[in-house]
Amino acid sequence: MTIKAVLFDFSGTLFRIEPTESWLRAVLTEAGVALSEPKLTLAAEALERAGAQAGGALPAEAPAGELGDLWAVRDHSAERHRAAYTGLSRQVRLPDPALHDALYDRHMAPRAWSPYPDAAEVLAGLRERGVAVGVVSNIGWDLRPVFRVHDLDPYVGAYVLSYEHSLQKPDRRLFALACEALGVDARDTLMVGDDRRADGGAAALGCGVHFVDHLPVDRRPDGLRPVLDLIG
């Protein structure tokens, strides 16, 4: 297999969202809401169990009822994505109801995301080898500003975001759109992601697939480097 293009997932692959407690603390500070340290810690733990932070932990218990139905298609549109995550957040009592939307807004801020330590090195290495790069993400908002702020946008030739197409991985059509945008055949393309079900859907199109571990940034310093070895 001659790899002419590499598709990357976003969250847990190239970037990692800030820890739940930092996320909550930043929103409380910006809103001018005071919360004791013990209460802040408890609220952060509850939000994490609820799966309220997009890009963070999945819900400890699968959402049920209308919220469960919404959760299943959350990445199909910006409206569904916000409704699903604020719905999970609202399961946790916070000092001000407006904080739930503020938490959602915070998770879209470029400063809430950190690239993995080897992301720039690997993307630059692919460019040097003449390999095209695309980003294929299940998401409900425009992540391009995150790449621009962290100086990774110049390496990306195409962004295929689920909410812009009303499709979500593992639907093979999303990967096909990325290959088409890059002008490559799926059989010459490698998909790199952290979700075996969602990102593994690229295999149905004929892409190669490589998985990385969704770990905190400081615990995965070189998880992307094997991609360069696969390219040769």
Side-chain angles (χ1 to χ4, degrees), residues 98-117:
L99 291 171
H100 298 290
D101 274 308
L103 283 168
Y104 185 85
D105 292 340
R106 166 73 187 185
H107 105 275
M108 295 187 289
R111 63 187 180 277
W113 294 88
S114 296
Y116 280 94

PDB file of all heavy atoms in Angstrom, residues 98-117:
ATOM      1  N   ALA A  98     -27.237  29.585  33.705  1.00  0.00           N
ATOM      2  CA  ALA A  98     -26.547  30.089  32.504  1.00  0.00           C
ATOM      3  C   ALA A  98     -25.171  29.458  32.325  1.00  0.00           C
ATOM      4  O   ALA A  98     -24.600  29.489  31.228  1.00  0.00           O
ATOM      5  CB  ALA A  98     -26.414  31.604  32.580  1.00  0.00           C
ATOM      6  N   LEU A  99     -24.649  28.853  33.387  1.00  0.00           N
ATOM      7  CA  LEU A  99     -23.324  28.243  33.310  1.00  0.00           C
ATOM      8  C   LEU A  99     -23.288  27.045  32.365  1.00  0.00           C
ATOM      9  O   LEU A  99     -22.228  26.711  31.821  1.00  0.00           O
ATOM     10  CB  LEU A  99     -22.855  27.815  34.700  1.00  0.00           C
ATOM     11  CG  LEU A  99     -22.535  28.955  35.677  1.00  0.00           C
ATOM     12  CD1 LEU A  99     -22.305  28.391  37.075  1.00  0.00           C
ATOM     13  CD2 LEU A  99     -21.321  29.738  35.204  1.00  0.00           C
ATOM     14  N   HIS A 100     -24.422  26.405  32.151  1.00  0.00           N
ATOM     15  CA  HIS A 100     -24.441  25.227  31.281  1.00  0.00           C
ATOM     16  C   HIS A 100     -24.120  25.615  29.838  1.00  0.00           C
ATOM     17  O   HIS A 100     -23.325  24.941  29.162  1.00  0.00           O
ATOM     18  CB  HIS A 100     -25.789  24.516  31.385  1.00  0.00           C
ATOM     19  CG  HIS A 100     -26.086  24.006  32.756  1.00  0.00           C
ATOM     20  ND1 HIS A 100     -25.413  22.950  33.320  1.00  0.00           N
ATOM     21  CD2 HIS A 100     -26.965  24.436  33.701  1.00  0.00           C
ATOM     22  CE1 HIS A 100     -25.864  22.728  34.545  1.00  0.00           C
ATOM     23  NE2 HIS A 100     -26.804  23.613  34.801  1.00  0.00           N
ATOM     24  N   ASP A 101     -24.703  26.701  29.355  1.00  0.00           N
ATOM     25  CA  ASP A 101     -24.371  27.170  28.010  1.00  0.00           C
ATOM     26  C   ASP A 101     -22.961  27.731  27.971  1.00  0.00           C
ATOM     27  O   ASP A 101     -22.254  27.586  26.957  1.00  0.00           O
ATOM     28  CB  ASP A 101     -25.376  28.227  27.552  1.00  0.00           C
ATOM     29  CG  ASP A 101     -26.613  27.593  26.920  1.00  0.00           C
ATOM     30  OD1 ASP A 101     -26.449  26.760  26.009  1.00  0.00           O
ATOM     31  OD2 ASP A 101     -27.729  27.903  27.354  1.00  0.00           O
ATOM     32  N   ALA A 102     -22.531  28.372  29.065  1.00  0.00           N
ATOM     33  CA  ALA A 102     -21.167  28.909  29.118  1.00  0.00           C
ATOM     34  C   ALA A 102     -20.139  27.783  29.050  1.00  0.00           C
ATOM     35  O   ALA A 102     -19.084  27.932  28.417  1.00  0.00           O
ATOM     36  CB  ALA A 102     -20.979  29.726  30.392  1.00  0.00           C
ATOM     37  N   LEU A 103     -20.427  26.659  29.683  1.00  0.00           N
ATOM     38  CA  LEU A 103     -19.527  25.505  29.609  1.00  0.00           C
ATOM     39  C   LEU A 103     -19.438  24.989  28.179  1.00  0.00           C
ATOM     40  O   LEU A 103     -18.346  24.655  27.686  1.00  0.00           O
ATOM     41  CB  LEU A 103     -20.017  24.389  30.535  1.00  0.00           C
ATOM     42  CG  LEU A 103     -19.741  24.581  32.017  1.00  0.00           C
ATOM     43  CD1 LEU A 103     -20.532  23.557  32.837  1.00  0.00           C
ATOM     44  CD2 LEU A 103     -18.250  24.460  32.316  1.00  0.00           C
ATOM     45  N   TYR A 104     -20.572  24.927  27.502  1.00  0.00           N
ATOM     46  CA  TYR A 104     -20.548  24.471  26.112  1.00  0.00           C
ATOM     47  C   TYR A 104     -19.711  25.427  25.258  1.00  0.00           C
ATOM     48  O   TYR A 104     -18.889  25.000  24.444  1.00  0.00           O
ATOM     49  CB  TYR A 104     -21.964  24.350  25.554  1.00  0.00           C
ATOM     50  CG  TYR A 104     -21.973  23.768  24.155  1.00  0.00           C
ATOM     51  CD1 TYR A 104     -21.968  22.393  23.959  1.00  0.00           C
ATOM     52  CD2 TYR A 104     -21.929  24.607  23.037  1.00  0.00           C
ATOM     53  CE1 TYR A 104     -21.923  21.849  22.672  1.00  0.00           C
ATOM     54  CE2 TYR A 104     -21.887  24.071  21.755  1.00  0.00           C
ATOM     55  CZ  TYR A 104     -21.886  22.697  21.577  1.00  0.00           C
ATOM     56  OH  TYR A 104     -21.822  22.171  20.309  1.00  0.00           O
ATOM     57  N   ASP A 105     -19.916  26.737  25.458  1.00  0.00           N
ATOM     58  CA  ASP A 105     -19.160  27.723  24.688  1.00  0.00           C
ATOM     59  C   ASP A 105     -17.661  27.600  24.955  1.00  0.00           C
ATOM     60  O   ASP A 105     -16.844  27.726  24.039  1.00  0.00           O
ATOM     61  CB  ASP A 105     -19.633  29.136  25.040  1.00  0.00           C
ATOM     62  CG  ASP A 105     -21.055  29.416  24.554  1.00  0.00           C
ATOM     63  OD1 ASP A 105     -21.529  28.705  23.642  1.00  0.00           O
ATOM     64  OD2 ASP A 105     -21.692  30.333  25.101  1.00  0.00           O
ATOM     65  N   ARG A 106     -17.303  27.365  26.206  1.00  0.00           N
ATOM     66  CA  ARG A 106     -15.891  27.251  26.567  1.00  0.00           C
ATOM     67  C   ARG A 106     -15.207  26.107  25.822  1.00  0.00           C
ATOM     68  O   ARG A 106     -14.055  26.232  25.381  1.00  0.00           O
ATOM     69  CB  ARG A 106     -15.766  27.029  28.079  1.00  0.00           C
ATOM     70  CG  ARG A 106     -14.383  26.567  28.572  1.00  0.00           C
ATOM     71  CD  ARG A 106     -13.354  27.653  28.525  1.00  0.00           C
ATOM     72  NE  ARG A 106     -12.019  27.136  28.844  1.00  0.00           N
ATOM     73  CZ  ARG A 106     -10.932  27.880  28.970  1.00  0.00           C
ATOM     74  NH1 ARG A 106     -11.007  29.191  28.828  1.00  0.00           N
ATOM     75  NH2 ARG A 106      -9.765  27.336  29.242  1.00  0.00           N
ATOM     76  N   HIS A 107     -15.904  24.993  25.655  1.00  0.00           N
ATOM     77  CA  HIS A 107     -15.242  23.839  25.047  1.00  0.00           C
ATOM     78  C   HIS A 107     -14.923  24.077  23.565  1.00  0.00           C
ATOM     79  O   HIS A 107     -14.103  23.378  22.984  1.00  0.00           O
ATOM     80  CB  HIS A 107     -16.089  22.567  25.236  1.00  0.00           C
ATOM     81  CG  HIS A 107     -16.807  22.094  24.017  1.00  0.00           C
ATOM     82  ND1 HIS A 107     -18.035  22.573  23.636  1.00  0.00           N
ATOM     83  CD2 HIS A 107     -16.458  21.183  23.072  1.00  0.00           C
ATOM     84  CE1 HIS A 107     -18.423  21.977  22.517  1.00  0.00           C
ATOM     85  NE2 HIS A 107     -17.489  21.133  22.147  1.00  0.00           N
ATOM     86  N   MET A 108     -15.528  25.104  22.964  1.00  0.00           N
ATOM     87  CA  MET A 108     -15.231  25.433  21.575  1.00  0.00           C
ATOM     88  C   MET A 108     -14.063  26.410  21.439  1.00  0.00           C
ATOM     89  O   MET A 108     -13.601  26.659  20.327  1.00  0.00           O
ATOM     90  CB  MET A 108     -16.467  26.025  20.891  1.00  0.00           C
ATOM     91  CG  MET A 108     -17.628  25.055  20.771  1.00  0.00           C
ATOM     92  SD  MET A 108     -18.994  25.738  19.776  1.00  0.00           S
ATOM     93  CE  MET A 108     -19.630  26.989  20.899  1.00  0.00           C
ATOM     94  N   ALA A 109     -13.606  26.964  22.542  1.00  0.00           N
ATOM     95  CA  ALA A 109     -12.539  27.962  22.495  1.00  0.00           C
ATOM     96  C   ALA A 109     -11.196  27.291  22.196  1.00  0.00           C
ATOM     97  O   ALA A 109     -10.863  26.274  22.806  1.00  0.00           O
ATOM     98  CB  ALA A 109     -12.465  28.703  23.826  1.00  0.00           C
ATOM     99  N   PRO A 110     -10.404  27.840  21.272  1.00  0.00           N
ATOM    100  CA  PRO A 110      -9.094  27.245  20.972  1.00  0.00           C
ATOM    101  C   PRO A 110      -8.216  27.059  22.205  1.00  0.00           C
ATOM    102  O   PRO A 110      -7.452  26.097  22.290  1.00  0.00           O
ATOM    103  CB  PRO A 110      -8.477  28.242  19.987  1.00  0.00           C
ATOM    104  CG  PRO A 110      -9.657  28.833  19.274  1.00  0.00           C
ATOM    105  CD  PRO A 110     -10.709  28.962  20.344  1.00  0.00           C
ATOM    106  N   ARG A 111      -8.323  27.963  23.193  1.00  0.00           N
ATOM    107  CA  ARG A 111      -7.491  27.853  24.396  1.00  0.00           C
ATOM    108  C   ARG A 111      -7.874  26.664  25.266  1.00  0.00           C
ATOM    109  O   ARG A 111      -7.127  26.289  26.179  1.00  0.00           O
ATOM    110  CB  ARG A 111      -7.569  29.141  25.215  1.00  0.00           C
ATOM    111  CG  ARG A 111      -8.959  29.466  25.769  1.00  0.00           C
ATOM    112  CD  ARG A 111      -8.980  30.842  26.425  1.00  0.00           C
ATOM    113  NE  ARG A 111     -10.283  31.205  26.957  1.00  0.00           N
ATOM    114  CZ  ARG A 111     -11.265  31.723  26.245  1.00  0.00           C
ATOM    115  NH1 ARG A 111     -11.083  31.924  24.944  1.00  0.00           N
ATOM    116  NH2 ARG A 111     -12.418  32.042  26.797  1.00  0.00           N
ATOM    117  N   ALA A 112      -9.032  26.067  24.999  1.00  0.00           N
ATOM    118  CA  ALA A 112      -9.452  24.896  25.765  1.00  0.00           C
ATOM    119  C   ALA A 112      -8.815  23.609  25.238  1.00  0.00           C
ATOM    120  O   ALA A 112      -8.966  22.555  25.852  1.00  0.00           O
ATOM    121  CB  ALA A 112     -10.977  24.761  25.742  1.00  0.00           C
ATOM    122  N   TRP A 113      -8.107  23.711  24.129  1.00  0.00           N
ATOM    123  CA  TRP A 113      -7.533  22.528  23.477  1.00  0.00           C
ATOM    124  C   TRP A 113      -6.012  22.631  23.412  1.00  0.00           C
ATOM    125  O   TRP A 113      -5.457  23.714  23.195  1.00  0.00           O
ATOM    126  CB  TRP A 113      -8.081  22.392  22.050  1.00  0.00           C
ATOM    127  CG  TRP A 113      -9.538  22.102  22.019  1.00  0.00           C
ATOM    128  CD1 TRP A 113     -10.564  23.016  22.024  1.00  0.00           C
ATOM    129  CD2 TRP A 113     -10.156  20.817  21.999  1.00  0.00           C
ATOM    130  NE1 TRP A 113     -11.771  22.361  22.006  1.00  0.00           N
ATOM    131  CE2 TRP A 113     -11.563  21.021  22.001  1.00  0.00           C
ATOM    132  CE3 TRP A 113      -9.656  19.512  21.976  1.00  0.00           C
ATOM    133  CZ2 TRP A 113     -12.458  19.962  21.974  1.00  0.00           C
ATOM    134  CZ3 TRP A 113     -10.560  18.459  21.957  1.00  0.00           C
ATOM    135  CH2 TRP A 113     -11.941  18.690  21.953  1.00  0.00           C
ATOM    136  N   SER A 114      -5.352  21.497  23.556  1.00  0.00           N
ATOM    137  CA  SER A 114      -3.899  21.427  23.417  1.00  0.00           C
ATOM    138  C   SER A 114      -3.553  20.356  22.386  1.00  0.00           C
ATOM    139  O   SER A 114      -4.097  19.247  22.438  1.00  0.00           O
ATOM    140  CB  SER A 114      -3.232  21.055  24.744  1.00  0.00           C
ATOM    141  OG  SER A 114      -3.457  22.049  25.720  1.00  0.00           O
ATOM    142  N   PRO A 115      -2.656  20.671  21.439  1.00  0.00           N
ATOM    143  CA  PRO A 115      -2.226  19.629  20.504  1.00  0.00           C
ATOM    144  C   PRO A 115      -1.327  18.631  21.222  1.00  0.00           C
ATOM    145  O   PRO A 115      -0.631  18.989  22.184  1.00  0.00           O
ATOM    146  CB  PRO A 115      -1.447  20.408  19.448  1.00  0.00           C
ATOM    147  CG  PRO A 115      -0.974  21.638  20.152  1.00  0.00           C
ATOM    148  CD  PRO A 115      -2.011  21.968  21.182  1.00  0.00           C
ATOM    149  N   TYR A 116      -1.350  17.395  20.789  1.00  0.00           N
ATOM    150  CA  TYR A 116      -0.418  16.419  21.349  1.00  0.00           C
ATOM    151  C   TYR A 116       1.004  16.845  20.991  1.00  0.00           C
ATOM    152  O   TYR A 116       1.229  17.482  19.951  1.00  0.00           O
ATOM    153  CB  TYR A 116      -0.741  15.020  20.832  1.00  0.00           C
ATOM    154  CG  TYR A 116      -1.890  14.393  21.579  1.00  0.00           C
ATOM    155  CD1 TYR A 116      -3.198  14.493  21.113  1.00  0.00           C
ATOM    156  CD2 TYR A 116      -1.674  13.730  22.796  1.00  0.00           C
ATOM    157  CE1 TYR A 116      -4.260  13.931  21.815  1.00  0.00           C
ATOM    158  CE2 TYR A 116      -2.735  13.173  23.500  1.00  0.00           C
ATOM    159  CZ  TYR A 116      -4.018  13.278  23.017  1.00  0.00           C
ATOM    160  OH  TYR A 116      -5.064  12.746  23.730  1.00  0.00           O
ATOM    161  N   PRO A 117       1.992  16.536  21.835  1.00  0.00           N
ATOM    162  CA  PRO A 117       3.356  17.042  21.657  1.00  0.00           C
ATOM    163  C   PRO A 117       3.973  16.779  20.293  1.00  0.00           C
ATOM    164  O   PRO A 117       4.783  17.572  19.813  1.00  0.00           O
ATOM    165  CB  PRO A 117       4.136  16.338  22.768  1.00  0.00           C
ATOM    166  CG  PRO A 117       3.123  16.056  23.831  1.00  0.00           C
ATOM    167  CD  PRO A 117       1.863  15.748  23.077  1.00  0.00           C
TER     168      PRO A 117
END
